[in-house]
Amino acid sequence: MLRYTLLRVLGAIPTLLLVIVLAFLMVHAAPGGPFDDERVLPADVEANIARAYHLDESLPKQLLRYLGGLVQGDLGPSYRYRDYTVSELIGAAFPLSLKLGAMAMALAIVVGVSAGTVAALQQGTYLDRTVMAFSMTGISIPVFVVAPVLVLFFAVKLQWLPAGWSSSTGASRMVLPVITLALPQIAYIARLTRASMIDVLGRDFVRTARAQGLGTLTVVRLHALKPAMLPVLSYMGPAIAAILTGSVVVEEIFGIPGLGQFFIRAALNRDYTLVLGIVVFYAALIVLLNLIVDVLYGAIDPRVRYR
Amino acid sequence: MSLLNVKDLSIRYQQTAVVDALSFSIDRGESVGLVGESGSGKSQTALALLGLLPRQASVSGSIRFDGTELVAASEEALDRVRARRIGIVFQDPMQALNPYLRIGRQLREILVRHKLARGAEIDERVIEMLVRVGLSDARRQFHAYPHQLSGGMRQRVMLASALIAEPDLLIGDEPTTALDVTVQAQILELLEEIRDNTALLLITHDLGVVAGHCERMLVLEKGRLVDVGATTSLFASPGHAHTRLLLDAAPRIDRASALPQATGASILGIEAVSVSYKAFGNEQLRAVHDVSLSLRSGETVAVVGESGSGKSSFVRAVLGLVPMLSGRAVYAGAPLEGPVERRVKAQRRDLQLIFQDPVSALNPQMRVQSIVAESLLVHEPGLSSQARLEKVVEALGQVGLGDEYLGRYPHELSGGQAQRVAIARALVLGPKVLICDEAVAALDGSVRKQVLALLRKAQEDTGLAIIFISHDLAVVRAISHRVAVLYMGRLVELSDNAPLFSRPRHPYTRALIDAVPVPNPVVAPKKAPLRGEVPSLLDPPSGCVFHPRCSYVKEICKSMLPATRDLQGARVACHCADEIDLSL
Amino acid sequence: MSLLDNRSIRVSGGILLTIAVCALAGPWISPQDYLTMDFDRQLMSPTMTGGQIFGTDDLGRDLFVRTMLGIRVTLLVAVVASAVSLVIGVAYGAIAGFVGGRVDAAMMRFVDTLYALPFIFFVILLMVVFERNFLLIFVAIGAVNWLDMARIVRGQTLSLREREFVDAARLTGVSTARILLRHIAPNLIGIVVVYVTLTIPQAILVESFLSFLGLGIQEPQTSLGALVDAGVNQMEGASWSLLIPASLLALILLCFNFLGDGLRDFFDVRHTN
């Protein structure tokens, strides 16, 4: 198990490096410099800026400087928010996004797995079909459609919940964003759980367990749940990425001052260092979480560890 | 009052009845065999007894177990019967045990659920049971996962799980079909040993198993009970034509065959062929070691061995489907070299292969006509489409299939029909050598008999040479002129048919013969001839690879690999071959 | 068994066809065009007068014509992007699966690595760096979506290659090209059709996501994502300008997903029969 974990960790490093280098090169391949639209500056000032941001160095040198900074958690200065470093900006905005994302993820797993399991056990019934219709709809409707429609009904028309972040301070302002973020994941996880549970329930070892008179509850809990969760666990990586992506939209629509909103602002403002920094940060986060998922997978499936 | 009383049991899926008005009973302590070919409804019956049929099945009639009605009983009522009153062993222990749970845990749960033990006593009882089914190191294997055990050990665990709650009836649903024959003998012996007074319902296609282990037998044909009676009397005088058919089709290891002598010229020579595969990491797994064999026109040479003996790898290397590590093969004076793609056309035409699984061997997207005709496109491109069609029809006729099959897709064929199409595909080019890789293993007895007859007919008509790969010695005895026995990739004995079965020279050959169940209830089943199972190819034993399982083992066997030598017409690789008499 | 026997395929296919026909013919029939602004008719609610059945936007432009154009753009982007991912994915997967061995291991290792990348952020990064380029959207989406296709095709090819009918063909001297054409390809079609159908809604999602953020299709051109974005800004006064494009987008996505599911059932049934 230790060997397996170590191998996984080592395998993640090249991926991470690739992401960083790719993102860095993309930004630096940009036609024209980041300050091009500020032509009003005199030439010597521009040169000073370039020097301050090391834009006068060669590309490999800049890359090495960037990687060196990264190791110490330094993502460089922001081009737009001149008084802040990228790390400071991320540090300020991320906790809120993390809170939202973690809540959405927890909600998605609990609701999705329960709904999927119930549907699988009641396969073919009215309940099953209802769950599946809901989840198909949930998968098909994008976050940026769900969010405004929910706001329109629950905040504007019914006025049950606050529409924007700033219009309230209580926990109620979390409700709509979290639900919006979780909805497509609930739908996907429910579908996945149902399909995988039906598959597992049809396997021979489940038949054996039933033949031992263990009762439906024990059969599902002891024998079926673990293997049925493996595809769901594999989906956690993409789910995390999807929630990060969704948070960009949700924060934009609800006006939540999280990292997603920062990212969009930075993208629209062409704040290269900030965009680059956030992409690198997100990538590292996703690679790290995928790593955790991989290790968990090994912990559940004994056969994986020995390969 | 019988323990189990089944009356008018019918099982339907939509409009199709898979079991039709079945009635039988089983007394306490009795052993009953339920036999039939695939699709006869025997496994469905077993599942019905435990209420395990899928939701779509509709069940009618009555199943009374010790006074309790089981048809339409609630899950709770069924759960009180399952394991506690009726235990079951399924066919494939790899699938039937949960791969994600330690075996101790899987067994514990049964005791816990049925409240048969509490506290520390639970684990003790599980370990005690594991010891009884012959797990040598039960305390440690309590914590093992199923994939860490060998096939035979897994089936022992399965048997432990079926018996740990001390049921009154044990159902074995083809419990040894997935196992090697020497392991099958061990499991059957164990079953007899530990079932005490538990009644046994043994479901099997193998009449040899029934003959050795069941007092009474039931014969099913297409869901109907056609024959029932004491095993000895049914074997002696079958009451129904179908029983007779099954008995006639059962291959007999105890009967010599009458094959005409093969006198053709030598056509294929294989010398010291070795094959290796890359296993995990960079380890080389040696599947075949220096195997030599020759073949005459009109001759059938059987290659037999248990799983892992390398018999398939051996012929695949000769055919160029997998690379040969060393050695050479010569066909009609010219070497067979390199992968099949680089071989000359004539060789690819003359050497043909038939596979075990006919379903996998036919492209599901092609019609029978195109499947059979494809090789003609390569080898006789000048043929008009009319002439090609005629050749296809002729080849299909040779295997007993009419024109009406030309337009069918593989999924519209039965297993036997599909295998005939595969044979027609091989024969259409008029090959000189036909290699059959377990070609009849997946077929029912009656179909197998027809296919074997077909191969013999083709041999008589065209002087075809056949390499017949099989794990089934009874079939081998019936159809081969010579027999090569492989163990862990090495040739241990090569001999003519008659002497091999009357006086084998290698202890392993003798053990293989002894392990085959004889379909004759008058003969008491022999004791399992071998202990243990085939060791891993990744870690082969020193010296003679067979020595850890051999009852004639000497000191020299542990350190020195025996050379292959001639012994009165047989080739044997055994240090003791001339000192021991293994005559039957 | 025919494709049309499956209800999911029949219904969702029918709806998609209807929407596509409307999107193609609608702007041509309507007296309005998508560019003309009319500041006397800002944010008109849907009405039959002048054929403005979807009302107008904040610049007084006809929303029906704009919506139909948006559907055209959305569908075009999705179909082209899926075609890109189809070509790359099938070629890559089939080669990896058929060649096997080390080549396969290396190729799949590369796919695994790419899988771990947060693609959508890279796409956004691309959009920021290279301006909003219509062509880039195709490439970006195609580049994201080929991974799944490659994995699936590779897995299927690998299992087909191990099937004995391929060995039988090799033995009798059938050429590699013919094996690929006659034995591998026909057995891949089912799964490829299913996954292309399921790739289209994913491509639509990415495109509309970018457009919604203002990083995709640019004014005066439009797409469903861009229309939803515009609708969000007006939703308190003119909810139809949000609800119409939003529900059309949802309907299209739903239909493609159902179509894919139906096709999967269709090919599964044919396989197991």
Side-chain angles (χ1 to χ4, degrees):
Chain A
M1 190 67 205
L2 190 68
R3 197 180 115 85
Y4 173 81
T5 309
L6 272 173
L7 279 175
R8 292 283 142 183
V9 172
L10 287 177
I13 292 173
T15 312
L16 199 56
L17 211 62
L18 181 81
V19 176
I20 296 165
V21 173
L22 217 62
F24 183 87
L25 291 180
M26 263 185 201
V27 166
H28 285 80
F35 303 103
D36 279 3
D37 48 344
E38 298 179 27
R39 282 288 173 209
V40 284
L41 294 171
D44 56 327
V45 176
E46 205 170 314
N48 274 338
I49 290 175
R51 202 165 311 121
Y53 291 107
H54 305 289
L55 294 177
D56 53 344
E57 294 176 2
S58 69
L59 202 58
K61 224 168 171 180
Q62 289 188 46
L63 177 61
L64 279 179
R65 182 184 297 282
Y66 192 74
L67 288 175
L70 251 182
V71 176
Q72 299 158 30
D74 177 14
L75 291 160
S78 162
Y79 282 152
R80 297 282 158 176
Y81 307 88
R82 300 255 165 99
D83 297 336
Y84 298 94
T85 66
V86 171
S87 307
E88 281 167 352
L89 290 170
I90 292 176
F94 181 60
L96 188 53
S97 297
L98 178 69
K99 192 171 160 194
L100 267 179
M103 283 168 73
M105 196 70 176
L107 185 69
I109 293 172
V110 171
V111 179
V113 168
S114 326
T117 306
V118 170
L121 289 173
Q122 310 272 321
Q123 197 192 344
T125 62
Y126 191 70
L127 182 72
D128 175 31
R129 272 179 224 154
T130 313
V131 170
M132 281 305 99
F134 259 111
S135 92
M136 188 56 123
T137 317
I139 287 171
S140 299
I141 302 181
V143 173
F144 61 85
V145 170
V146 174
V149 171
L150 285 183
V151 170
L152 187 60
F153 282 100
F154 291 100
V156 178
K157 294 259 153 79
L158 297 171
Q159 308 219 325
W160 288 355
L161 292 161
W165 192 254
S166 46
S167 55
S168 158
T169 49
S172 64
R173 65 181 183 177
M174 299 287 277
V175 175
L176 280 182
V178 168
I179 289 180
T180 312
L181 212 44
L183 220 48
Q185 302 316 313
I186 292 176
Y188 204 95
I189 292 174
R191 263 175 83 80
L192 207 57
T193 305
R194 174 182 178 272
S196 144
M197 188 58 94
I198 286 174
D199 172 44
V200 172
L201 289 176
R203 297 221 205 130
D204 285 2
F205 66 80
V206 168
R207 189 177 64 182
T208 307
R210 288 183 58 211
Q212 290 164 349
L214 300 187
T216 310
L217 200 67
T218 310
V219 169
V220 171
R221 186 181 50 78
L222 184 75
H223 286 276
L225 200 58
K226 229 177 178 187
M229 281 303 98
L230 287 176
V232 177
L233 192 59
S234 297
Y235 174 67
M236 284 301 113
I240 291 157
I243 287 208
L244 285 182
T245 314
S247 73
V248 172
V249 173
V250 167
E251 290 178 12
E252 180 74 13
I253 291 175
F254 291 93
I256 302 168
L259 195 55
Q261 200 185 38
F262 250 94
F263 182 61
I264 291 305
R265 293 286 146 81
L268 292 170
N269 285 334
R270 317 191 71 211
D271 185 342
Y272 291 109
T273 39
L274 188 51
V275 172
L276 177 61
I278 296 179
V279 168
V280 167
F281 177 73
Y282 274 153
L285 194 66
I286 289 175
V287 169
L288 178 74
L289 292 171
N290 270 316
L291 182 71
I292 294 174
V293 168
D294 265 2
V295 172
L296 277 178
Y297 203 102
I300 291 189
D301 190 341
R303 291 170 302 180
V304 170
R305 292 198 292 260
Y306 295 90
R307 262 182 223 143
Chain B
M1 172 79 186
S2 297
L3 179 66
L4 174 74
N5 245 312
V6 176
K7 204 161 162 42
D8 285 331
L9 177 69
S10 292
I11 304 169
R12 297 176 167 278
Y13 290 90
Q14 284 157 347
Q15 290 314 304
T16 333
V18 294
V19 171
D20 193 4
L22 176 64
S23 300
F24 66 92
S25 63
I26 297 177
D27 289 336
R28 282 182 189 279
E30 190 186 22
S31 61
V32 177
L34 183 57
V35 299
E37 302 200 313
S38 54
S40 61
K42 50 194 195 304
S43 285
Q44 292 289 317
T45 306
L47 294 179
L49 296 183
L50 285 162
L52 292 175
L53 288 169
R55 229 189 297 247
Q56 305 89 289
S58 70
V59 184
S60 64
S62 151
I63 299 171
R64 285 194 89 76
F65 183 83
D66 205 10
T68 315
E69 176 57 50
L70 298 184
V71 170
S74 69
E75 277 293 305
E76 291 72 31
L78 284 167
D79 278 343
R80 283 192 292 275
V81 173
R82 293 168 177 163
R84 185 67 198 86
R85 309 297 309 276
I86 307 179
I88 186 163
V89 177
F90 293 108
Q91 175 172 338
D92 184 354
M94 187 67 221
Q95 307 294 326
L97 292 171
N98 189 336
Y100 306 93
L101 281 184
R102 298 176 197 277
I103 59 169
R105 187 77 202 278
Q106 300 188 41
L107 291 174
R108 277 193 61 144
E109 212 59 32
I110 303 169
L111 294 177
V112 172
R113 182 70 191 184
H114 294 281
K115 300 191 176 65
L116 295 171
R118 53 177 54 197
E121 193 196 340
I122 301 173
D123 285 4
E124 282 314 307
R125 286 221 11 215
V126 169
I127 288 165
E128 185 191 321
M129 191 69 215
L130 290 176
V131 171
R132 277 183 68 201
V133 296
L135 261 71
S136 45
D137 194 0
R139 233 162 249 287
R140 208 166 56 84
Q141 282 168 339
F142 182 88
H143 300 287
Y145 288 101
H147 70 271
Q148 293 168 313
L149 303 176
S150 67
M153 287 300 150
R154 282 196 284 265
Q155 196 59 307
R156 285 167 194 266
V157 172
M158 189 71 218
L159 191 56
S161 82
L163 289 175
I164 195 166
E166 297 169 348
D168 302 298
L169 173 65
L170 174 67
I171 302 174
D173 186 0
E174 300 272 10
T176 56
T177 308
L179 305 174
D180 276 327
V181 62
T182 58
V183 180
Q184 159 171 292
Q186 293 170 21
I187 296 290
L188 288 172
E189 193 176 287
L190 173 70
L191 188 66
E192 287 295 331
E193 214 174 273
I194 67 169
R195 82 177 168 90
D196 291 329
N197 200 33
T198 307
L200 173 69
L201 177 63
L202 191 59
I203 292 164
T204 179
H205 68 285
D206 187 336
L207 286 165
V209 172
V210 175
H213 300 273
C214 302
E215 296 150 27
R216 263 189 329 127
M217 64 186 268
L218 311 160
V219 182
L220 282 186
E221 182 192 13
K222 291 181 187 138
R224 288 171 170 278
L225 185 68
V226 294
D227 218 348
V228 57
T231 309
T232 41
S233 58
L234 277 196
F235 268 74
S237 57
H240 188 274
H242 189 68
T243 313
R244 188 180 303 279
L245 181 87
L246 293 181
L247 283 170
D248 286 347
R252 299 291 296 249
I253 186 93
D254 53 344
R255 281 187 197 153
S257 66
L259 282 177
Q261 196 72 29
T263 52
S266 178
I267 185 167
L268 181 65
I270 303 162
E271 284 162 43
V273 164
S274 294
V275 181
S276 75
Y277 293 106
K278 192 164 333 133
F280 327 96
N282 273 327
E283 270 179 295
Q284 287 289 319
L285 188 148
R286 207 54 187 279
V288 181
H289 282 268
D290 299 335
V291 175
S292 302
L293 201 65
S294 66
L295 192 66
R296 297 161 178 274
S297 284
E299 184 186 36
T300 300
V301 174
V303 179
V304 301
E306 295 176 284
S307 51
S309 64
K311 51 194 192 300
S312 276
S313 305
F314 169 62
V315 292
R316 283 172 170 263
V318 171
L319 287 170
L321 287 172
V322 299
M324 213 182 267
L325 183 68
S326 61
R328 62 191 222 118
V330 177
Y331 167 72
L336 294 168
E337 281 172 333
V340 65
E341 280 80 4
R342 297 210 201 112
R343 294 188 177 178
V344 294
K345 252 187 169 182
Q347 290 179 344
R348 297 172 82 169
R349 172 188 194 124
D350 289 355
L351 274 74
Q352 289 294 325
L353 176 65
I354 298 171
F355 303 88
Q356 167 169 358
D357 179 6
V359 177
S360 158
L362 304 180
N363 185 342
Q365 303 283 344
M366 280 164 78
R367 294 174 195 274
V368 167
Q369 181 179 348
S370 321
I371 290 171
V372 179
E374 185 168 41
S375 58
L376 288 173
L377 290 174
V378 178
H379 292 278
E380 295 182 36
L383 228 50
S384 73
S385 56
Q386 185 56 37
R388 196 158 55 231
L389 181 62
E390 275 165 25
K391 283 208 167 223
V392 170
V393 170
E394 190 194 320
L396 285 175
Q398 236 181 319
V399 297
L401 296 178
D403 307 1
E404 69 271 23
Y405 288 92
L406 285 172
R408 298 217 183 148
Y409 281 104
H411 70 257
E412 296 167 314
L413 305 172
S414 70
Q417 288 163 350
Q419 193 62 300
R420 283 162 195 259
V421 171
I423 295 174
R425 171 177 60 190
L427 293 183
V428 73
L429 289 173
K432 304 287 185 284
V433 178
L434 187 63
I435 296 172
C436 303
D437 189 356
E438 296 276 13
V440 296
L443 305 178
D444 274 326
S446 56
V447 183
R448 175 176 55 211
K449 200 176 165 189
Q450 293 162 4
V451 170
L452 290 175
L454 209 114
L455 289 173
R456 275 175 67 171
K457 174 110 184 1
Q459 186 167 57
E460 276 165 33
D461 292 349
T462 64
L464 192 64
I466 297 176
I467 296 183
F468 190 87
I469 296 177
S470 178
H471 67 280
D472 188 337
L473 263 90
V475 170
V476 162
R477 179 161 204 187
I479 76 139
S480 60
H481 297 95
R482 282 191 298 145
V483 182
V485 182
L486 297 191
Y487 184 76
M488 290 189 77
R490 294 176 191 274
L491 183 73
V492 297
E493 183 165 358
L494 171 63
S495 170
D496 283 344
N497 181 316
L500 185 108
F501 286 98
S502 58
R503 192 185 171 189
R505 298 289 181 167
H506 197 286
Y508 178 62
T509 311
R510 171 70 205 245
L512 271 185
I513 296 171
D514 284 346
V516 179
V518 180
N520 180 359
V522 182
V523 184
K526 296 195 177 88
K527 257 187 74 65
L530 286 185
R531 298 290 120 201
E533 290 169 58
V534 183
S536 162
L537 283 172
L538 282 171
D539 185 22
S542 61
C544 173
V545 284
F546 184 60
H547 89 256
R549 301 176 76 193
C550 184
S551 39
Y552 302 93
V553 62
K554 294 195 301 189
E555 265 320 300
I556 186 174
C557 303
K558 293 175 187 165
S559 56
M560 213 177 103
L561 192 70
T564 311
R565 55 192 167 133
D566 285 308
L567 207 67
Q568 292 161 353
R571 289 186 66 72
V572 192
C574 174
H575 290 299
C576 324
D578 42 10
E579 298 159 26
I580 51 181
D581 182 7
L582 299 169
S583 302
L584 281 116
Chain C
M1 201 177 97
S2 142
L3 269 175
L4 293 180
D5 291 347
N6 183 306
R7 202 174 62 175
S8 304
I9 297 178
R10 213 170 47 226
V11 174
S12 50
I15 294 174
L16 284 173
L17 214 62
T18 313
I19 291 176
V21 168
C22 287
L24 285 179
W28 181 62
I29 293 168
S30 169
Q32 311 293 334
D33 71 70
Y34 78 104
L35 266 180
T36 310
M37 302 178 203
D38 183 346
F39 293 100
D40 295 334
R41 302 175 63 85
Q42 289 168 319
L43 293 177
M44 293 267 298
S45 54
T47 160
M48 286 314 285
T49 34
Q52 296 192 311
I53 50 173
F54 286 2
T56 60
D57 69 5
D58 56 339
L59 299 175
R61 293 177 297 190
D62 178 55
L63 265 179
F64 172 72
V65 176
R66 285 187 71 72
T67 305
M68 292 304 126
L69 281 173
I71 294 176
R72 277 192 202 174
V73 171
T74 295
L75 287 182
L76 180 73
V77 172
V79 169
V80 175
S82 299
V84 170
S85 74
L86 170 81
V87 172
I88 305 177
V90 170
Y92 195 93
I95 290 173
F98 195 73
V99 176
R102 283 208 190 128
V103 176
D104 173 42
M107 285 174 86
M108 282 302 122
R109 181 79 209 131
F110 179 64
V111 167
D112 284 346
T113 310
L114 291 188
Y115 245 105
L117 301 187
F119 256 109
I120 199 78
F121 298 107
F122 268 87
V123 172
I124 292 175
L125 194 64
L126 268 176
M127 292 298 170
V128 172
V129 171
F130 292 100
E131 304 293 325
R132 332 282 195 246
N133 185 333
F134 199 70
L135 198 74
L136 205 58
I137 299 177
F138 292 127
V139 177
I141 299 173
V144 180
N145 283 334
W146 71 271
L147 294 174
D148 274 319
M149 183 63 86
R151 267 193 178 179
I152 284 153
V153 169
R154 178 256 180 188
Q156 187 78 0
T157 310
L158 206 63
S159 84
L160 283 170
R161 201 183 61 136
E162 315 258 290
R163 294 276 289 277
E164 290 169 338
F165 63 78
V166 173
D167 277 345
R170 285 175 66 198
L171 268 176
T172 44
V174 177
S175 66
T176 307
R178 195 180 148 87
I179 289 178
L180 277 170
L181 217 64
R182 286 282 282 160
H183 294 277
I184 306 281
N187 286 295
L188 284 176
I189 285 175
I191 205 154
V192 168
V193 168
V194 170
Y195 277 88
V196 166
T197 315
L198 293 173
T199 304
I200 293 177
Q202 286 175 15
I204 293 179
L205 271 180
V206 178
E207 182 277 324
S208 52
F209 174 79
L210 290 175
S211 296
F212 174 81
L213 293 178
L215 292 165
I217 306 293
Q218 298 297 305
E219 286 281 334
Q221 284 291 329
T222 194
S223 79
L224 284 177
L227 286 167
V228 172
D229 184 29
V232 169
N233 297 324
Q234 309 299 336
M235 70 180 178
E236 300 206 16
S239 56
W240 69 88
S241 63
L242 166 65
L243 291 180
I244 290 173
S247 43
L248 276 170
L249 179 58
L251 184 66
I252 291 174
L253 291 166
L254 202 60
C255 283
F256 272 114
N257 279 328
F258 267 116
L259 188 64
D261 256 24
L263 286 169
R264 176 159 37 203
D265 291 346
F266 174 73
F267 285 111
D268 268 1
V269 167
R270 268 217 331 198
H271 231 74
T272 47
N273 252 359

